[in-house]
Amino acid sequence: MKKSKDIKISYLLGIIIIVIVTLVTIPLFYNQFNSSMLLLKDKTIDDFKDEEKLTEVFITSQLEAKRVQLREAANNFELRKLLESKGSSALTNVLKKVVTSPIDADFIFLSYDGSEQITDVSLNILNTKQIINDYLENHSIERDFELYTTKTSNLIAFLKEDIISRKTGRILATMHTGYILNNRASFFNNLSLKVLKTNFYFIINDNVYSSSGVMSVDDAKAITSAKVGSLIQSNKKLFYITKVKLDDIYSIKVAFETSSNYVKNLKSSYIYNFLITVLTSILLCIIAIYIANRLITPPLEHIVNTISLLMIRNLRSTPRRSFIREFNLIEDNFISVFDKFQQKKSQLASFVSSSPISILILDYKGKIIQTNDASINLFEISDKNGNILKDSALKNCDDFKEMLSTIKDRKKIFEDEFNFKSGEKWKNTLWTIHQDNKENYIFIQCVDNTEKLETQSIIEAQRSKSVHNQKLAAIGEIASSVAHEINNPMGIVSLSLTMLENELEQLEINSEKKKENIRKSISNIENSVERTSQIISNLLDFSREGSKDRLESKNLDLVLNKTLLFIEEKLKKNKITLNTQGLDKDINIYIKETQFSQILVNLFNNSIDSLIGQERREIDLSTRVEDTTCYLHFKDTGRGIPKELEEKIFSPFFTTKSVGSGTGLGLSISKNLLLEMSGDIKLEREDSGAHFIVSIPIKN
């Protein structure tokens, strides 16, 4: 990650001042400029309105002067006389004379009421006849003033005056005069130079008539599209658009022009003032930076140095009091808070360190951030700053590795249980795990549940053993009663067989073969009676509670043969071969016979269950003697025990059998019984089948 640059507080203070001044002055200057522009606009419009009034006065006075001239011409004595006498040939000459003096008109003609006749003496290069006809047809003849725009965009002002006979009082004719305004340079010049001192433009039917005769296309488009009463800017020029009244009906759209330099000057003035303000602000910032460096930075650096010494080295620096009260308060309060924090930290560290609960703080990769003595002992941590997956007993715990790799997908707080091997002993642990996603840490509390589980297992084993002994005792009582009921008939049968043997010797039987057959039958009956008595005797011994028996030297082969009486039928039924060639029949071992028989029965039953369904069904028994210990090897060709379960098979309640087929206590109880007899039982790793080695002393 890119490292950010450090900035001195004095520089930061200067930057803040510049930013604040800039943020404050820009809106102020902007608002002030807008206000000035509005005032300037209002002032400019007011000035233009004055010119609008002057223009209106000038145009109306000019029109009135033309009316006076027309009225004088209409009252011409010679002209009236010719009209009364209807002298048309001399009339034209008189009219031409009137056009040049005193009337200076572009159009002059006479129209007659009730007649289409026109007497025209106009002096212009336009299509006079067509213009006059359009004017007479389309405009009211009752008004003495009309504005007319030709198809060629010429603006003509028409005036009329009736010529009345003094004799009869009737209208002899109507005299019309017309003035092409856009060709009247003197009219525009007089208005522009003598009256307004500025350029102005007539706008009629989107056509612009200029006093100067020159206007750019952009300016023309701007003023023709502008609304009346608006002030617009185009090409560094300002135009004010208004209407000038010519009479009660007619008004002309007019644009007054002026330079926009004073707007530019206003902007320049504001920019100049703004730059002066910014430069002043920069100067103030430099002064503020200097003052801050001299007065604020040293005490702050002392506070930072104090904090650094306390936090990193836990050292106190010599107090240096500042003339700024707040800095002194900050330093005093921080030292006070730090002392309390150190006290709480020490208390917490002592509590965590002395806690019997194992406490771990890890990152998500397993790196150890913090731990306590209980964790170090439980997990056999070799490096307190190392990795829990490499430097502890958990490195071989696949369940813990899987949990750590998927922990981000789990709840923020959850519980779990892990079994792992610490030293030579398996540990059962209960974990409470809390994820801190902000700091990317994992907080763990771990309780060693091994002793509790072992105690529960022992209690449950003792309870099961007690139930087992009670069952054996019940069997013993039944066997004792059955033995009593059977032994009496067996005694009678045995006595009767003895009597039969004696009688047989005294009988004279001619056939020796028959006599021999009788002897064999009697011998078979005697063997059966003896076997029955032996089974009953062994059953009584097996069902007897033997925990209080003394350790005695017993022949291993004899004990094994007694035990086989209980399982030989089960071996035959499942077609299992028992091989005892490797068994030393002369070995005597120190055991509690009843309990050792129970151990052998349990091993046989486990092997028989494992051999069911196998093609090869064999159990091999062999012995090996080393020093004072006899090793009984118990091998079968069954399904065997998976490698991952080898460490757990002697645990209480652990079983590989289906539900309802086993309790998981057989091997656990067997191991405990052998340990009471100074022996042991272990599992030997084989490629196929199970191989248990029972060790038992041959001397007391």
Side-chain angles (χ1 to χ4, degrees), residues 667-683:
L667 288 175
S668 175
I669 292 175
S670 297
K671 187 175 182 69
N672 289 331
L673 292 177
L674 284 169
L675 289 173
E676 290 177 3
M677 291 183 275
S678 300
D680 201 356
I681 181 171
K682 292 183 179 180
L683 176 67

Side-chain angles (χ1 to χ4, degrees), residues 271-327:
I271 293 173
Y272 174 77
N273 290 330
F274 176 73
L275 292 176
I276 292 296
T277 304
V278 170
L279 292 174
T280 304
S281 301
I282 293 173
L283 180 60
L284 290 174
C285 291
I286 294 172
I287 295 172
I289 291 171
Y290 176 78
I291 294 173
N293 269 325
R294 300 293 295 176
L295 301 178
I296 298 177
T297 303
L300 278 177
E301 289 178 346
H302 175 69
I303 292 174
V304 171
N305 184 51
T306 300
I307 293 172
S308 176
L309 289 173
L310 286 173
M311 295 296 292
I312 299 174
R313 302 180 186 176
N314 199 16
L315 298 174
R316 293 182 182 272
S317 62
T318 304
R320 186 189 303 167
R321 309 307 288 177
S322 171
F323 72 93
I324 301 176
R325 179 174 175 272
E326 283 73 14
F327 287 169

Side-chain angles (χ1 to χ4, degrees), residues 522-580:
I522 292 172
S523 177
N524 289 336
I525 294 172
E526 285 180 342
N527 291 335
S528 297
V529 170
E530 184 178 352
R531 177 174 173 79
T532 302
S533 298
Q534 185 65 38
I535 289 173
I536 292 171
S537 176
N538 289 344
L539 180 61
L540 287 172
D541 289 339
F542 183 81
S543 60
R544 183 172 54 81
E545 204 282 307
S547 61
K548 296 181 180 180
D549 291 353
R550 294 176 57 191
L551 289 170
E552 295 178 337
S553 179
K554 298 288 183 179
N555 182 265
L556 176 61
D557 184 59
L558 181 62
V559 174
L560 181 61
N561 288 330
K562 286 183 178 181
T563 303
L564 288 174
L565 288 173
F566 300 106
I567 61 167
E568 61 183 354
E569 187 62 30
K570 197 172 182 180
L571 292 171
K572 291 177 182 179
K573 180 180 177 182
N574 292 286
K575 299 179 182 180
I576 297 172
T577 302
L578 179 63
N579 300 320
T580 58

Side-chain angles (χ1 to χ4, degrees), residues 137-148:
E137 289 177 2
N138 298 319
H139 289 76
S140 173
I141 60 174
E142 296 178 358
R143 289 181 50 81
D144 61 354
F145 173 73
E146 295 286 349
L147 280 180
Y148 174 73

Side-chain angles (χ1 to χ4, degrees), residues 72-83 85 87-103 108-110 112 119-121 123 163 175:
E72 290 177 355
N75 290 326
N76 184 277
F77 174 78
E78 186 178 359
L79 182 62
R80 187 184 303 113
K81 185 177 180 181
L82 288 173
L83 288 172
S85 62
S88 57
S89 59
L91 182 61
T92 303
N93 294 327
V94 173
L95 279 177
K96 288 180 179 180
K97 190 176 181 180
V98 171
V99 169
T100 56
S101 179
I103 299 175
I108 184 168
F109 60 93
L110 298 177
Y112 304 95
T119 303
D120 181 19
V121 292
L123 300 175
I163 303 174
M175 181 179 288

Side-chain angles (χ1 to χ4, degrees), residues 433-451:
I433 302 169
H434 179 95
Q435 298 187 69
D436 188 341
N437 296 326
K438 292 182 179 179
E439 298 293 335
N440 287 328
Y441 288 155
I442 306 170
F443 297 89
I444 298 173
Q445 289 181 330
C446 179
V447 178
D448 185 359
N449 200 41
T450 307
E451 291 185 3

Side-chain angles (χ1 to χ4, degrees), residues 167-272:
K167 294 179 180 180
T168 61
R170 67 182 181 87
I171 298 175
L172 299 174
T174 301
M175 181 179 288
H176 301 267
T177 56
Y179 302 90
I180 304 174
L181 296 181
N182 48 300
N183 285 340
R184 293 268 167 172
S186 59
F187 173 79
F188 283 101
N189 291 334
N190 289 335
L191 180 60
S192 177
L193 299 176
K194 296 180 180 180
V195 180
L196 302 179
K197 310 298 184 182
T198 184
N199 293 329
F200 76 99
Y201 307 88
F202 286 149
I203 305 164
I204 299 175
N205 296 332
D206 293 334
N207 294 312
V208 179
Y209 304 99
S210 170
S211 61
S212 61
V214 178
M215 171 170 273
S216 67
V217 176
D218 294 337
D219 291 346
K221 287 183 178 179
I223 64 174
T224 53
S225 60
K227 294 181 179 180
V228 174
S230 61
L231 186 68
I232 63 170
Q233 183 176 355
S234 176
N235 293 329
K236 299 181 180 180
K237 298 176 183 179
L238 278 178
F239 296 95
Y240 174 64
I241 314 301
T242 186
K243 280 190 175 182
V244 175
K245 289 183 67 176
L246 301 181
D247 60 6
D248 294 338
I249 295 178
Y250 288 108
S251 60
I252 301 177
K253 189 176 180 182
V254 178
F256 296 100
E257 175 191 332
T258 186
S259 173
S260 61
N261 286 336
Y262 53 93
V263 177
K264 182 179 179 181
N265 294 336
L266 181 63
K267 290 181 179 179
S268 301
S269 174
Y270 274 101
I271 293 173
Y272 174 77

